[in-house]
Amino acid sequence: MTTQTYRIKGMHCASCATIIEKTFKKVPGVHLAEVNYGTEKVKLNIDETKTSPENLSKKIEPLGYSLVTQNAESMGMNEDEHAAHLGLNRSKKEKLAELAEMKSKVISAIPLAVFSIFVMVWEIGAKFNLFLEIPYFWEEFFHHLSPIMAAYMLFVVGRPYLLGFYRFLRYGKANMDTLIGIGTLTAFLYSFTITAFEETLKPFINVEQSYYEVTIIVIAFISLGKYLETRSKLKTGDAIEKLLNLQAKTALVERDGKELEVPIGEVVHGDLIIVKPGSSIPVDGVITEGASFVDESMISGEPMPVSKKIGDSVVAGTINTSGSFTFRVTKVGSETLLAKIIKMVEDAQGSKAPIQALADKISGVFVPIVLVLSFVSLGLWLLVGTGYLGFSQALSFGLVSFVGILVIACPCALGLATPTAIIVGVGKGAREGILIKDAGTLEKLHKVNVVVVDKTGTLTYGKPELVSIQNFSQGQTLGILERSDLELVAILASLENKSEHPIAHAIVSSAKGKNINLFSVQTFEAIKGKGVKGTILNVEYYAGNTKLIKDLNIPFYTTSIEKETMEGKTPVILAIRERVLGVVMVADAVKPEAIEAVKNLHKLGIKVVMLTGDNKNTAEFIAKQVGIDEVVAEVMPEDKLNKIKELQAEGKIVAMAGDGVNDAPALAGADVGIAMATGTDVAIESAGITLLHGDISKLVKAIKLSKITMTGIKQNLFWAFFYNVVGIPLAGGLFYPIFGILLSPVFAGFAMAMSSVSVVGNSLRLKTKKL
């Protein structure tokens, strides 16, 4: 069993997608076939012992479609293949070639349509005495020129629609091309018949009324609409193109003491890559030499360059701004974060939202129903209309209704409504550092009314930091210079530099961050469970907790630190044998953006609950700082899941934001799982949404993105339904007996073409929305 995604060539409308899907599902060995008209791709899960992609392609080739079996989407491909299957090499060239061909047909069709409209308006205006009668010479000229123009339009520009009609006759599969083909061919054949046998038919029907202009103008409008739609659809997927353009084509590798520029595909694990100012980082790795600031905006959405030094990770696609550095390669090709982001974005763009199910069902039965309605309308006009209008007029109105219904009832807008909005929404999210796993997640997110957050790594940085200093050494002389705050930190960091404790790392990191030089330490000793001691410049120092100070019988009143200790801060006391010199507080600091994010969630009417395994005092202090509505502290991972189930039982739609690893059960149990990530594989794969760089403010943006995307989808579906619900009865003549209104096939063609263009245009409008 393998699951892969393939491109499909030849799709023109939503009913095409339905035909392909149904054809595939009938083939033994196909367990899943999900066709997306918006991305023109199919997701297949097949048993390769029973069928193959090549066999499936043969099944749909007689219907005018084909499966592109090369460059199937998988995670094991190199960069060139990756770019190709995402549509930046051959597939995009094919799209542009198709667009150029469509453009040339439109350019030839529009003048003919304009000419036909001019003649049609002149004839109508003359009947109402608005214009002079057309001179006999020009009337005869138009009379003989119209069949030639209509023939060119039908058999050259309209060839795809005739093929759609042919496949319907041969295979019984109808799509939008079938409807247009039947309608325009009927109008042409009727008109050609009365032109060829004018004298013979004159006693029976009105031979002066032909419909060549219907064939010409309808095909011109529809061709223009399809051209605009195709051009617009190319723009919807530009997020993928922008992400792929981040990928460097070459890398400067250090091998055998030489700098070599090699293609990206030749870079291997362990290579040393040299990155110069202004260069794109080609693959993922860890800096071994040098330092710089790296622009990670296209990956994270953050505008400020990030400081990078030895030991820091760098990711493919980010831009080195100032300094030079060397890094060791840890991930290449499809392993890189950029490749995973591209894969995730494209999978999400190709997935179907639950709201699309209704549109898919309607599109699946739409074409057969429309065919029936068009014949019923023609029959009713002939049966009922003949008695009131006469046979000739009834036949004329019946043909107008028949062709009008076939032309206006195109399910393209319906098929494009959801996928185009999803493509734009997911792409916009990716540019903001919001990775969305699938369309279903994006849809659910807009309904969320409770957000559950983990404390560590979500509201806080997830690592202890030195947050405050109390200096008790001022004004004393104890063998070295009077201690400033920085000197206290220098002594503490010098001692703790020998320790492996996480709190010791926090103090050392703080000293390094302030560019404080450390002292040399003699006679270092770790005192288990209490702290450390060591000699610096012939002075013996102690650093540790209150137990250590108590054991040493050094006078110290803990009341000075009780308040901060109650807030969850950990004291580290620096002392000499006679007295305490100072106390530093180490804590997991709150992210500044967390406070603003919670405020914005409240503005959206969303309740915020904090779940943490930390002690109650610390949790409540953090919650008060940030503005959390409810706190549940001292819980195990399974308790977090139980709390989410409890909220869901109350009818709440719950989103859980956590670090993607120890919160896995809760993330899986929530309606929407949101991983606060620094680009880890686990985080990206464990949740429905991943927020790069662990920035909780992106959670608010993700919810806003979901809301504007769903609004866009609903607007699209409304207009798609509106066009058909109003257009079909109008074209069928339902309003003629009451209002005397009958929709001309010419206007039906224009409305049909514009329906698809308006839906794609509305989706593209989402790009301009501010999150």
Side-chain angles (χ1 to χ4, degrees), residues 478 483 539-542 554 574-579 581:
L478 298 170
R483 281 72 164 181
V539 178
E540 188 174 59
Y541 294 96
Y542 296 85
I554 299 172
L574 176 67
I576 55 173
R577 196 65 188 80
E578 295 82 9
R579 60 168 293 127
L581 300 178

Side-chain angles (χ1 to χ4, degrees), residues 127-254:
K127 285 179 183 178
F128 291 98
N129 298 317
L130 297 174
F131 308 128
L132 294 174
E133 288 283 339
I134 300 175
Y136 177 77
F137 171 79
W138 289 110
E139 188 176 359
E140 283 299 300
F141 176 72
F142 297 152
H143 184 67
H144 289 90
L145 183 62
S146 292
I148 297 169
M149 293 195 307
Y152 168 79
M153 195 67 80
L154 181 64
F155 296 106
V156 178
V157 180
R159 186 171 178 270
Y161 311 121
L162 291 180
L163 287 174
F165 180 38
Y166 164 74
R167 294 186 189 106
F168 170 63
L169 293 176
R170 183 166 181 182
Y171 302 105
K173 305 286 187 182
N175 61 10
M176 186 274 285
D177 292 352
T178 309
L179 300 182
I180 304 303
I182 293 174
T184 53
L185 183 63
T186 301
F188 177 81
L189 290 177
Y190 173 81
S191 304
F192 189 77
T193 302
I194 62 173
T195 301
F197 304 102
E198 186 174 348
E199 294 303 319
T200 308
L201 297 171
K202 206 169 193 176
F204 307 103
I205 59 176
N206 179 13
V207 294
E208 292 181 6
Q209 179 64 59
S210 66
Y211 297 100
Y212 289 123
E213 76 277 358
V214 169
T215 302
I216 295 166
I217 299 170
V218 164
I219 290 177
F221 275 150
I222 291 169
S223 298
L224 175 62
K226 295 301 288 181
Y227 167 72
L228 294 173
E229 176 193 315
T230 304
R231 194 175 71 169
S232 298
K233 278 172 68 180
L234 273 176
K235 293 179 184 177
T236 60
D238 64 358
I240 290 286
E241 185 168 352
K242 285 179 180 175
L243 284 170
L244 273 163
N245 285 338
L246 296 175
Q247 178 66 68
K249 301 294 183 289
T250 60
L252 195 60
V253 183
E254 186 180 300

Side-chain angles (χ1 to χ4, degrees), residues 42-54:
V42 58
K43 185 178 181 181
L44 290 172
N45 182 277
I46 60 173
D47 183 346
E48 290 189 327
T49 61
K50 294 180 180 179
T51 189
S52 66
E54 290 74 17

